[in-house]
Amino acid sequence: MAEPLNLPPDIFPPFPDMAPGEVWLVGAGPGDPRLLTVMAIHALRVADTIVHDALVDERILRLAREGAEIHFAGKRGGRPSPLQRDINELIVAEAKKGRRVLRLKGGDPFVFGRGGEEANALVRARIPFRIVPGLTSGLAAPALAGIPATTRETNHAVILAAGHRAEGDSAARAWEALAATGQPIILYMALAQLDEIVAAFLRGGLSPDTPAAIISHATSTDERIVETRLSDLVRDARSNAIEAPAVIVVGAIAGLRAVLASGMVKP
């Protein structure tokens, strides 16, 4: 069994025990294992059962202690995936066996990660749980690409939005309303509905020349970054054969990459 992390106590408070029958909902960050939190590494080293999603890098799973059971529970848009109900039942059942359960999710469990739904299921089952935040890809991927979420010169707010529920008149009106704020919009899971979203943004008042960027497979060896503008976003996503997972940035902040990226040291 792997030993819990042993770090200088004058800097790090003692790490909490993961008690038998307890569930930790942990964010694994955008992919690169170097971007894990130390609390996430601690959890990996002590958990009996790990239930992970499709966006958790396989190198991260190699940090699991010897003998830990590892369950894949990935949900990918448009592909056969476990139902959320089944995932909830799995983590509850494992906890009721008295196992230390780590529910490991790409990014942050509470940012488009269904962590809230899983936490509710644990409350109903009277299972104790802990939340360990992670770096959400919507902020980390642009930052690593030279796109700050905010600057004093460009914006006083930033919008994080999930694009996979983009169909229908009510959704179109919602996208138009977001565009009307004039604030940068960072999209998760938006490739499948990108045509509809872009059209709504234009109807909502965004200029066709609004800077945009796509970051696909952030922090991995397959990472690809496309700089474009709103009117060309759909065309450039297709011509570059961009695949999920991808984060899309629309707004003035996307244009800052042209300046900042040239001086950035590669990860």
Side-chain angles (χ1 to χ4, degrees):
M1 178 174 179
E3 292 294 325
L5 286 178
N6 183 18
L7 296 172
D10 58 328
I11 300 175
F12 291 90
F15 287 93
D17 291 331
M18 183 185 289
E22 195 168 279
V23 176
W24 287 22
L25 304 176
V26 177
D32 188 332
R34 295 171 295 181
L35 298 175
L36 284 169
T37 66
V38 290
M39 187 76 91
I41 297 173
H42 166 70
L44 282 158
R45 291 167 67 93
V46 299
D48 300 316
T49 298
I50 298 171
V51 181
H52 70 94
D53 69 21
L55 298 181
V56 174
D57 192 290
E58 63 178 17
R59 294 171 295 176
I60 290 173
L61 296 175
R62 297 210 299 268
L63 294 170
R65 73 167 183 83
E66 185 177 354
E69 289 186 7
I70 298 179
H71 299 263
F72 174 77
K75 299 181 72 64
R76 299 302 296 270
R79 305 179 192 176
S81 303
L83 297 174
Q84 187 61 50
R85 180 184 65 248
D86 297 333
I87 298 171
N88 294 350
E89 291 175 354
L90 173 61
I91 60 178
V92 167
E94 288 294 301
K96 286 184 174 179
K97 294 176 185 176
R99 298 179 67 80
R100 299 170 178 85
V101 182
L102 168 56
R103 174 64 171 119
L104 191 61
K105 309 172 80 69
D108 181 279
F110 276 8
V111 182
F112 304 123
R114 304 194 186 211
E117 297 174 46
E118 293 169 359
N120 274 325
L122 295 168
V123 169
R124 291 193 299 270
R126 299 185 178 180
I127 302 293
F129 64 93
R130 181 182 296 273
I131 306 298
V132 179
L135 289 172
T136 181
S137 60
L139 297 178
L144 293 168
I147 301 173
T150 64
T151 74
R152 288 189 296 171
E153 293 76 21
T154 57
N155 57 308
H156 64 267
V158 65
I159 298 168
L160 305 181
H164 64 301
R165 294 182 177 177
E167 296 178 332
D169 292 341
S170 61
R173 288 192 294 273
W175 292 117
E176 291 170 17
L178 292 183
T181 67
Q183 299 303 315
I185 302 168
I186 298 176
L187 297 168
Y188 299 66
M189 302 170 285
L191 285 176
Q193 306 298 336
L194 195 55
D195 299 66
E196 291 87 346
I197 294 170
V198 168
F201 283 172
L202 292 170
R203 291 195 303 271
L206 285 182
S207 166
D209 291 326
T210 301
I214 310 169
I215 305 142
S216 174
H217 293 278
T219 79
S220 77
T221 55
D222 296 323
E223 180 178 271
R224 299 179 66 197
I225 301 172
V226 176
E227 299 174 66
T228 182
R229 60 179 186 161
L230 184 60
S231 60
D232 298 329
L233 184 55
V234 174
R235 183 199 67 190
D236 288 348
R238 290 175 177 163
S239 65
N240 286 279
I242 295 297
E243 298 179 345
V247 170
I248 298 170
V249 184
V250 177
I253 57 173
L256 297 176
R257 171 175 159 79
V259 175
L260 300 185
S262 63
M264 290 179 64
V265 177
K266 298 296 183 182

